[in-house]
Structure formats: C-alpha cells, structure tokens
Amino acid sequence: MAPRYDAIVVGAGFGGMGAGIELDRLGLSNYVILERESDLGGTWHVNHYPGLAVDIASVTYSYSFEPNPYWTRLFAPGAELKKYAAHVADKYGLRRRMRFDTVVDGARWDEEHQHWVVSIEGGETLTGRFLLTATGFLSQPYTPPFPGIDTFEGKIIHTTAWDEDFDLTGRRAAIIGTGATAVQLVPEVAKKAAALTVFQRTPIWVVPKVDAPIPAPVQRLFAKVPVTQKAARLVNTSMLEALMVVGVLHYDQAKPLNKAAALLAKAHLRAQVRDKKTREQLTPHYDFGCKRPTFSNEYFKTFNRPHVRLETNSIDHVTPDGIVTADGHKTEIDTLILATGFNLWDVNFPAIEIIGRDGVNLGKFWRDNRFQAYEGITVPKFPNFLSLNSPYSYSGLSYFTTIEAQMKHMARLLGELFRRGETTFEVTEAANERFLDTVTDKLGSSVFYGGDCASSRSYYFNQHGEAALLRPNSTVSTHRHAVSFPLDDYAYGSVPA
Ligand code: NA7
C-alpha cells in the first residue's frame, strides 16, 4: 500500500517552508504542509504584539538564497517578517501545499507498510513516506497557574494572542515576565497605559540595540547589486558567530569577553535608569549568555517614567481586580498581560505525539533518558523521520543558519537513499551516541556549565539540568557536517514486497 504523500511536513513557519523548498529540489513534490494556525509564518504569524521586531539583524535573519533587499530597518519589525514569509511561500509554490487550521494529534510509524500515519484532530489520517516536524522551539505558550487568575475580571492577554482591537489607553496594566518579549513590549504599553506595573522574577541582560532605518537608496542598491547585501550579511553573520562561539561556547577560554558584555549591559543600565534601587533590581546575578541576551534602547528608560513601576516581590495570587504579592501588597489593575513565554521541554519536544519503531514514544524516550538527536535532526528507532526542532539542533544565533544546515543534511541523506535505490533510512545507535558524547563534551566549556547560571531560570536548560538546545559548534562547522557526515551513520532499507 503506497502512502498518499512522499512527505508530510508539520508546521508552516520558516523551518517547514525551508523543508518544503528542499523537498521540491529533491524531486519529492508530492508533499503536504500541515499547520494548526490559520496562516503561514509560524512565530511571525502568531506574534503581533506592539514593539515586535527581530533581535538578529534582518540581513542575516532570512534565507541566504532568498535575500530581501527591502527590509526597512536593520532590525525589521515583525510585520515585515510575516510579509517576507508570504513572499517566499508564493515564490516557491508552497502555499498550495499548505493546509491551515489543521491540528496534528500525532504520528505513528507503520512497520508493516513502512510509512508514517499522521492523525489530524477530527479523525482524518494521512500517510506519508517521510515525516518532517518543523513545529518551532517556542510555539507552546505558557500561562503560569497563578492562584485566582480565573477570577480576574479585567482583560487578560498572552503576548502570543495579542488583541489588536483592545485599546490600552488609560488602562491600569500589569505585565508579568521580563524575557525578550517583555523587553520589546514594556515601552509600547507604557506609551498608552495610565499605570503600568512590571512583575519581574528574574532580571534580564539588556545591551544597546544598534538599529536604524535602511534608507531607500540603500534598499535599491541591495536590489540592484545583490553582492552588496551579501557582503553586509557576511559581516553581520561573522559578528554573531564571534559572539556565540567566543562568548557562549568557549566561555572557559574567553571569560573576559563574556564579562565585557556584562559590563556593557551594566553601563547601559547606569546610563538609562536614574533610581539606584531600580537599577539594582534590574541587574542580573547570573552570567551573560546563560539566557538569550536581549537588545533594547527603550526598555530600561521606561522605568524612569512616573507611571511605570517595577515589582520584584513574587506573585502570591490574583484577585478579580489586582495582583497580590508575597509581601501582601495589592496592585490594582484592569489589564493583565502575560509575557510569560513558552513551555519548551515538557510539551514542545516533540510538539505532537510521535511513535516510532517498536512502539517507542519520542517524548517519553527523551524525558526518561536524555534529550538527544543525531546532528540535531534524526533519532534511532524513528525511520524516515526528520525532527527539525530537536535537542542540540540550534546552531548560531539566527534560526536561518539552523534551517539551511538541516536542508543540506536532508539533501545528502535523501540523495544517498535514492542513489542506493532504497526507501527507508534510520540513524544508527552508534552514530547517535557518538554525536551525543561529542556535544556533551564540547558543552563542558560553554557558559552553561562553566559560568554561573544557577539563578538564570533559562529555557536553554531542561528538566535534567542539561543545556540541550544549542549545538556547540560554529555555524561554519555545522554546515560542513551537514554536507559531509558519514553516510554509514544511517542504515538504509526498502519496503518489504
Ligand atoms: P521567556 O524568555 O521565556 O520569558 C518569560 C518570562 O516570564 C520570564 O521573565 C519569566 O521569568 C516569566 N515568568 C514565567 N513564569 C512566571 C511566573 N510563574 N511568575 C513570574 N514570572 C514568570 O519568553 P519570551 O516570550 O520573553 O521570549 C521568548 C523568546 O522569543 C526569546 O528568547 C527570543 O528568542 C524570542 P523567569 O525568567 O523564569 O524568572
């Protein structure tokens, strides 16, 4: 029984779109992209809160083979990313492969027929020779179970479900959380609200954002002479690479550089916040790099404004009209904004139930053992499965470096499969163990293990205390591996007659 599709891709964000483009290049054009949201774009469709922008320069945060000369700023606003995603989908014929509002319940490897059976909410099932999950890293919003939150009578908004029609003017608002999202959102809410209290549990390192509009003549130059934009990308990517490799991955060898970044952030704070106590409260007590660093020229300044208050006491409970902290103080509010991030390790790795060979459940396997994936993309006992958002898959600072390395891995692996005239692949246990040992060893000299990360509460760490998200390689080396991994790291087979 032949499967209905060559491949089933889950997720229509930049990862799933990259996978689709690669499938077409490989001649596997009979594929479908399933997406739970009502449109494409992933993160850039879901998030549309005020102040949303990339925090990796746009010249790098885009596909290298599809540059966009028309970014209006060095760090483009979120809406431009969404537009760019739509442009790529149209240009590469991806939209006609996409099915929106389609929630995937789970996927199961059918041993008899050697293909994947994907179940969709509502009862439909689809079959595909290959399964590719591109469900993102930060795609399961998290709302902490604050006692009493159900009794709150005002407006509650999670940043991933922003209500554009809701007017903040004159509101008494609270923002819970001080991650990268809050750093962008706080200044915008402060512009409209009559009162704003920011509830901070852990302060975040914030460095200045070197942002500026890209003038129209420069955009025209990028469009006419693409090599100029390529050069700009190279410069920016090299800077990010240095930050990542030196400041994060080789912390043991380059501590002073990491400390210099913290000094820069402290100087930024001193220059922007007048009140000494507020400055102290906003100063992190963990090493720079333990958590994703943030960039803003507006965030700190906002705390100087008379109607903005920083609350560092922990939240005890929510009442119908306010938030009560552990010291008994009640902050009266009518708008509660949850900038409380995402659940990564409990529900996003993987985002759907995936059952492989011998009935192995991927999520259970990862949680009971260690989070692992060969080259951040394949797992033993999961034949014909490419997990694009895996432990140890994220390479570099721009997600696009990861996406494009994975596209190369796909091309090498599936190319070999076709050359051999086979139909199934599965990574060997030995190759998987070797990769896990290598990354574990290399991460030993990173800031995650050498630095003081104890109080950081960083989502880089999982429930076993392992920093199992980032791949401890330069992006150059990740890309080299993607085109040169030993082909015998996989076992190849064919569907039984
Ligand atoms: P993050 O970075 O996970 O931030 C979530 C924030 O919410 C963070 O400050 C948390 O504090 C806070 N939080 C979560 N639960 C609670 C409770 N129970 N009480 C108080 N505060 C809480 O998500 P973002 O959306 O900001 O950013 C996600 C990524 O998007 C970012 O890294 C970029 O890559 C882009 P905590 O730090 O855990 O003490």
Side-chain angles (χ1 to χ4, degrees):
M1 191 178 80
R4 176 164 165 198
Y5 293 104
D6 293 334
I8 297 176
V9 181
V10 185
F14 284 122
M17 293 188 357
I21 292 169
E22 196 58 46
L23 287 170
D24 275 325
R25 288 177 182 164
L26 289 163
L28 292 172
S29 297
N30 175 27
Y31 66 88
V32 63
I33 302 178
L34 308 176
E35 170 57 57
R36 79 176 171 193
E37 304 295 333
S38 59
D39 199 2
L40 56 86
T43 291
W44 303 100
H45 168 71
V46 169
N47 286 284
H48 40 87
Y49 57 82
L52 174 69
V54 289
D55 58 8
I56 298 293
S58 300
V59 75
T60 294
Y61 194 87
S62 43
Y63 298 106
S64 62
F65 55 85
E66 190 53 45
N68 171 20
Y70 302 110
W71 300 118
T72 61
R73 301 190 67 84
L74 291 178
F75 293 86
E80 286 186 33
L81 270 293
K82 166 89 179 162
K83 208 171 133 198
Y84 172 69
H87 158 78
V88 174
D90 291 337
K91 177 164 174 183
Y92 290 84
L94 302 172
R95 203 182 275 273
R96 65 191 161 87
R97 268 63 170 267
M98 293 176 179
R99 272 183 63 175
F100 299 118
D101 299 310
T102 303
V103 178
V104 174
D105 279 338
R108 182 177 53 79
W109 175 248
D110 181 329
E111 305 239 16
E112 188 190 342
H113 301 104
Q114 304 274 292
H115 62 215
W116 284 95
V117 181
V118 173
S119 332
I120 294 168
E121 205 176 75
E124 190 184 353
T125 56
L126 302 176
T127 53
R129 176 73 61 216
F130 304 105
L131 172 68
L132 298 91
T133 49
T135 42
F137 293 99
L138 301 169
S139 49
Q140 314 297 334
Y142 175 62
T143 296
F146 296 117
I149 193 164
D150 295 343
T151 67
F152 185 65
E153 286 172 358
K155 175 88 175 171
I156 300 185
I157 317 174
H158 193 283
T159 54
T160 54
W162 197 260
D163 178 356
E164 250 108 26
D165 297 330
F166 180 67
D167 187 5
L168 278 156
T169 310
R171 290 276 176 166
R172 287 168 299 140
I175 294 181
I176 302 178
T178 51
T181 298
V183 167
Q184 296 187 337
L185 181 66
V186 163
E188 298 304 313
V189 173
K191 283 177 193 163
K192 290 196 163 172
L196 169 62
T197 307
V198 178
F199 288 81
Q200 169 188 279
R201 188 165 65 178
T202 312
I204 188 154
W205 287 111
V206 185
V207 291
K209 190 167 185 174
V210 188
D211 193 13
I214 302 180
V218 176
Q219 294 178 27
R220 281 198 296 274
L221 176 72
F222 284 167
K224 264 195 167 161
V225 193
V227 71
T228 53
Q229 197 179 21
K230 266 196 185 144
R233 182 180 176 116
L234 187 66
V235 171
N236 182 256
T237 307
S238 309
M239 277 162 34
L240 293 174
E241 186 83 342
L243 191 70
M244 185 68 175
V245 174
V246 182
V248 177
L249 300 181
H250 290 285
Y251 175 81
D252 277 356
Q253 296 82 17
K255 240 177 244 178
L257 280 167
N258 184 290
K259 299 285 175 205
L263 285 177
L264 171 67
K266 279 185 182 166
H268 185 44
L269 176 60
R270 233 183 351 264
Q272 291 213 325
V273 176
R274 286 192 292 268
D275 180 56
K276 189 163 177 267
K277 185 173 167 223
T278 309
R279 276 206 305 265
E280 278 166 11
Q281 290 172 323
L282 287 168
T283 306
H285 296 289
Y286 53 86
D287 278 330
F288 190 92
C290 293
K291 233 178 179 158
R292 190 125 164 48
T294 57
F295 309 85
S296 175
N297 303 328
E298 304 300 322
Y299 176 68
F300 284 148
K301 269 194 223 166
T302 308
F303 293 98
N304 294 329
R305 302 188 65 176
H307 67 300
V308 179
R309 190 172 72 86
L310 180 66
E311 176 60 80
T312 57
N313 284 299
S314 61
I315 296 169
D316 186 74
H317 64 280
V318 178
T319 67
D321 62 347
I323 297 178
V324 179
T325 39
D327 60 350
H329 178 262
K330 178 172 170 183
T331 304
E332 290 195 356
I333 56 164
D334 55 24
T335 304
L336 174 52
I337 300 170
L338 298 165
T340 45
F342 303 85
N343 190 336
L344 187 61
W345 299 101
D346 297 322
V347 293
N348 204 49
F349 270 154
I352 54 168
E353 184 179 76
I354 299 179
I355 311 289
R357 209 157 53 72
D358 300 341
V360 178
N361 179 316
L362 182 60
K364 188 165 168 11
F365 168 70
W366 275 342
R367 275 175 268 285
D368 290 352
N369 299 280
R370 292 175 62 197
F371 284 84
Q372 53 198 278
Y374 170 74
E375 293 281 323
I377 193 167
T378 48
V379 187
K381 300 244 173 173
F382 292 84
N384 287 10
F385 172 50
L386 296 166
S387 169
L388 302 177
N389 302 105
S390 276
Y392 304 111
S393 63
Y394 204 105
S395 180
L397 283 175
S398 166
Y399 182 29
F400 285 85
T401 54
T402 305
I403 294 171
E404 292 191 25
Q406 294 188 324
M407 290 167 74
K408 288 179 183 168
H409 191 106
M410 275 173 72
R412 179 167 168 82
L413 171 60
L414 295 178
E416 178 64 8
L417 185 71
F418 302 150
R419 259 189 302 280
R420 291 178 183 227
E422 305 280 32
T423 45
T424 63
F425 67 79
E426 183 181 327
V427 68
T428 65
E429 298 272 3
N432 179 58
E433 270 173 36
R434 195 185 67 231
F435 182 79
L436 184 59
D437 286 347
T438 307
V439 289
T440 306
D441 186 45
K442 282 193 169 175
L443 276 165
S445 51
S446 72
V447 68
F448 307 125
Y449 297 100
D452 176 4
C453 291
S455 66
S456 68
R457 286 182 185 268
S458 163
Y459 66 73
Y460 289 160
F461 293 89
N462 63 25
Q463 53 274 67
H464 310 308
E466 289 189 311
L469 186 59
L470 297 185
R471 180 179 174 142
N473 279 138
S474 66
T475 58
V476 175
S477 135
T478 300
H479 277 252
R480 204 179 47 240
H481 281 267
V483 294
S484 66
F485 63 84
L487 294 167
D488 290 344
D489 281 354
Y490 285 93
Y492 306 87
S494 50
V495 180

